[in-house]
Amino acid sequence: MGFFKHVEGEAAIVVIKGVYKQVDLYERDGFLYAKTAGGFVRLMADGSTTKDKMRLDYMSWNGELCRDGMGRLCTSDATGAKSLEAPKAQLLLGSSAE
């Protein structure tokens, strides 16, 4: 297992109890996380997170988005990664997704 690595040039907007906040994206062993005040929150492929009352609203990402068998958002480097279907990726990336 590795440490959290900041993904330069990428960010996300999360919603916490109705408040929108821009956060940095981090990667660890191919899985994607959002940096919050108290640490890191795992991002899920359906837009949910591991933090109660926080969801992923939007993210910038240059590359392929994937999910593992447990629905965790990841890159193709993660063990068990499968490409995220285009409609699901578009929900996370906004209308600019291809």
Side-chain angles (χ1 to χ4, degrees):
M1 290 209 117
F3 290 98
F4 293 99
K5 297 176 201 160
H6 182 247
V7 181
E8 285 291 326
E10 306 294 2
I13 297 174
V14 294
V15 184
I16 308 165
K17 297 182 182 180
V19 177
Y20 290 74
K21 181 178 180 182
Q22 184 171 317
V23 296
D24 289 332
L25 283 177
Y26 282 75
E27 178 266 332
R28 180 175 179 239
D29 298 328
F31 293 95
L32 297 176
Y33 296 81
K35 175 75 170 124
T36 62
F40 300 92
V41 176
R42 185 187 296 270
L43 301 176
M44 306 301 280
D46 66 359
S48 64
T49 71
T50 54
K51 182 176 170 88
D52 189 36
K53 299 182 182 169
M54 175 190 279
R55 68 176 172 82
L56 176 62
D57 183 64
Y58 171 81
M59 65 184 287
S60 64
W61 187 256
N62 186 17
E64 183 181 16
L65 281 177
C66 299
R67 65 183 299 257
D68 73 351
M70 297 179 68
R72 300 177 291 196
L73 195 59
C74 59
T75 67
S76 58
D77 296 331
T79 303
K82 296 178 184 174
S83 285
L84 197 59
E85 300 84 15
K88 289 184 180 183
Q90 189 168 2
L91 287 175
L92 299 175
L93 298 172
S95 60
S96 63
E98 298 178 299

